[in-house]
Amino acid sequence: MTVINLTKLWDKLNTIAFKAIFIALNKAQVEELARAAQQRQAEGRALSPIDGELVAIKGNIALQGLATTAGSLAYATGVEPDNAPAVQRVIDAGAIPIGPANMTEFAFSGLGLNPHYGNSPNALDAESVPGGSSSGCASAISSGICDLAIGSDTSGSTRVPAAFQGICGYRATMGRYPMEGVVPLGASLDVLGPMARTVHGIRKLDAVMSAQAKHVGKSLRAQPFQLVVPDMEGLGISDEIMRMFDVCIETLFDAGVDVVRKDLPAILRTHQLFAEYGTLVSVEAREQVCRFLDLSDAQIDPQIKSRLEGVLPMTAKQVAYLRHQRAILQAEIEAQLQGGFLLMPTVPELPPRVVEVEKNIESFQKANATALRLTMITAFLNMPSLTLPVDPSKPSHSISVCGVAAQDEHVLAAGEEVEHLLR
C-alpha cells in the first residue's frame, strides 16, 4: 500500500510543467479516500493489491461531484451524482481515483493535443506530442504522478500514448468493463483501457475493473505460447521502428520463446478495407458528437472540427457492409492465429513534434492517421491488445501482444512474460 504525500502532490500539479495533465482535480474525494487508505495501512488490512494507489481517470469518465467535459469547452454534463461503475470498482478496492485527466477533445485524435486545457507533457520528449486521446493518463504515469490510470480506447487511445511515453496500455475485449458513465465516441468500438507503468500494474487494475474473483492469475512462463509476426509490408513502418522490432524478436527467440513469421491476411485486408471504404469510427464519431452540439460551435478545437467535418458520408448499406466485413475478418484472424498471439510494433513512427502539427491542419491529420494506423486494425478486429515498451526511455519503442476476443487473461499473462524477457 502506498503512502501519498498530498501536499507535495498538489504543489507538483500546480507547476507549469505538470498543470496540463489534469483538466480539474477532485481534491476533496482524493483527500477523503487517502485518509481512509492510510488508516487501513496502519491497521494492516488492505482491500486489494491496488489499495492506496492513485489512479488517474480520463476526462470522459464520470467522477462524482464534477462535470464530465470529455476535454471540451463546448460540451459538459451536469455535476455527476455518481462515479462511473468502473471508477466505483476502483474505489471499492481501496484505490484513489484522481482526475479528470486531460485528453483530446471528444477522444477523437491519437496525438493528444488540447488547446482548451493545454497540452499534457510527453515525459520522454517535451517537444513531442503526448499521444492520445488518453494523453493526461499517460503523462500522469510517465511523469511519476501515479502508477495506474483508466483511459478509453476506440482506435488506439490508450495504446498510442503509452507507446509515445514508454509505459503500458491495454485495450480489452469489448464488454469486459462496464461503459456506463463514459462519454461515447464510437459505440461499436469504445472500451475502457487500463494503463500502468508495468504489465503487472495493468493486470492488477484489470482484475478490479473486470470484477474478476482472482486478482492476478499465474504467469504463463511455464506454459508454451506462440508469438506470430505478420507480413507488415505496406503498413508504412519506419526503419527505426522496424530495427527496434527486429531486435525485440531476436531477443525473445534467443530466450526460447516460440516466435514465428506467418502470413495473416486479415491484418492487411483490414488496412485495405479502411483505405477503400473509410472507417466506422469516423462515421460513428461524427454522429455521436452531433448529438451533443452543432459542429459550427466556435469553441470546438479546430483540428477536431476539421476531422469531424471531413468525414465522408456513408449510406446505411455501406455501414452495414463494413460491419459485415468486420465479423468476417474477426473470424479469419482467429483461424489464422491458431491459438497464437499477434506480435507487432504499437506505432509505425516516432511521435511528431508539437510545433509541426499543432496549428497545421494538414500535418495534424496526416500525423494522426499515422499514429493510429496499427492500433486501429486490432481495435476493429476486437483483439485484446497489450502495449508494452521495449525501451521505456525511447518514445515509440513499443510492441503490442494481441489475442482474439475473450483471450484477455492469456494475453496479459503472456505479455508479462514478454516484458520480463525484454527487461
Side-chain angles (χ1 to χ4, degrees):
M1 187 183 289
T2 305
V3 176
I4 302 166
N5 186 322
L6 291 179
T7 300
K8 285 186 177 180
L9 175 66
W10 302 141
D11 287 346
K12 183 174 183 177
L13 291 176
N14 198 40
T15 62
I16 293 175
F18 301 106
K19 202 165 189 176
I21 291 177
F22 291 96
I23 292 170
L25 286 169
N26 55 333
K27 286 186 177 182
Q29 186 181 49
V30 168
E31 290 170 357
E32 178 185 354
L33 293 173
R35 284 192 296 271
Q38 288 164 359
Q39 181 64 36
R40 289 192 299 274
Q41 183 182 49
E43 296 170 357
R45 54 179 187 91
L47 296 177
S48 79
I50 66 168
D51 196 336
E53 294 267 14
L54 275 178
V55 183
I57 305 297
K58 188 174 180 178
N60 59 347
I61 304 171
L63 283 169
Q64 187 178 46
L66 295 175
T68 306
T69 67
S72 179
L73 291 180
Y75 167 84
T77 66
V79 172
E80 300 284 6
D82 300 297
N83 295 301
V87 174
Q88 192 58 49
R89 287 179 180 180
V90 163
I91 293 173
D92 293 343
I96 305 164
I98 179 172
N102 205 349
M103 57 180 286
T104 302
E105 188 169 12
F106 304 127
F108 197 44
S109 165
L111 301 185
L113 303 182
N114 189 307
H116 312 310
Y117 301 102
N119 297 326
S120 297
N122 184 323
L124 297 185
D125 181 359
E127 294 186 351
S128 293
V129 301
S133 61
S134 306
S135 50
C137 289
S139 297
I141 295 170
S142 193
S143 299
I145 303 298
C146 55
D147 290 328
L148 304 173
I150 300 177
S152 64
D153 191 307
T154 305
S155 295
S157 286
T158 58
R159 295 165 288 155
V160 172
F164 282 0
Q165 298 202 52
I167 65 168
C168 300
Y170 186 56
R171 177 190 170 87
T173 302
M174 291 193 65
R176 186 167 177 83
Y177 313 126
M179 292 299 293
E180 295 86 0
V182 181
V183 179
L185 177 67
S188 74
L189 293 155
D190 291 342
V191 64
L192 291 176
M195 303 171 75
R197 196 173 305 282
T198 65
V199 179
H200 186 64
I202 294 277
R203 296 186 76 187
K204 290 192 299 181
L205 189 51
D206 165 78
V208 170
M209 291 172 62
S210 60
Q212 300 295 311
K214 49 187 178 182
H215 286 290
V216 181
K218 293 181 180 179
S219 172
L220 291 180
R221 287 182 188 175
Q223 302 177 26
F225 60 88
Q226 185 177 78
L227 297 176
V228 182
V229 178
D231 175 13
M232 292 178 284
E233 187 173 350
L235 293 179
I237 300 173
S238 72
D239 291 343
E240 178 174 342
I241 298 303
M242 280 308 304
R243 284 193 298 271
M244 173 276 298
F245 188 59
D246 287 341
V247 170
C248 171
I249 292 172
E250 184 177 345
T251 300
L252 293 171
F253 184 82
D254 289 347
V257 178
D258 182 11
V259 184
V260 299
R261 293 184 182 272
K262 182 180 178 182
D263 188 23
L264 298 175
I267 298 298
L268 291 180
R269 281 190 58 205
T270 301
H271 177 65
Q272 291 161 357
L273 184 71
F274 296 157
E276 293 177 22
Y277 293 92
T279 63
L280 276 178
V281 64
S282 296
V283 174
E284 291 184 0
R286 176 167 178 143
E287 180 180 305
Q288 186 62 56
V289 172
C290 286
R291 291 177 184 172
F292 302 153
L293 43 79
D294 192 314
L295 290 185
S296 65
D297 193 317
Q299 294 186 97
I300 302 174
D301 175 0
Q303 299 286 13
I304 302 305
K305 180 185 292 190
S306 177
R307 278 201 74 199
L308 291 167
E309 290 177 340
V311 173
L312 296 176
M314 282 191 193
T315 64
K317 186 176 181 180
Q318 288 172 317
V319 172
Y321 176 78
L322 279 176
R323 289 177 174 154
H324 178 64
Q325 288 300 308
R326 185 184 188 192
I328 291 172
L329 290 164
Q330 286 173 353
E332 286 184 3
I333 193 64
E334 181 171 3
Q336 291 162 13
L337 280 172
Q338 296 180 315
F341 301 119
L342 172 68
L343 182 69
M344 291 178 67
T346 305
V347 290
E349 293 184 5
L350 298 181
R353 298 175 67 209
V354 174
V355 295
E356 293 171 347
V357 297
E358 190 170 29
K359 303 297 183 184
N360 186 304
I361 288 179
E362 183 178 351
S363 296
F364 181 98
Q365 308 300 352
K366 182 179 179 181
N368 181 69
T370 298
L372 295 168
R373 185 182 298 147
L374 304 182
T375 56
M376 185 177 287
I377 293 171
T378 49
F380 188 76
L381 296 176
N382 193 24
M383 301 179 75
S385 303
L386 173 68
T387 287
L388 59 113
V390 174
D391 184 341
S393 70
K394 294 182 178 179
S396 295
H397 282 228
S398 170
I399 58 171
S400 288
V401 178
C402 315
V404 298
Q407 273 194 323
D408 295 81
E409 291 177 18
H410 294 288
V411 168
L412 292 172
E416 191 168 20
E417 170 68 359
V418 169
E419 178 187 57
H420 170 74
L421 294 172
L422 293 176
R423 298 287 174 88

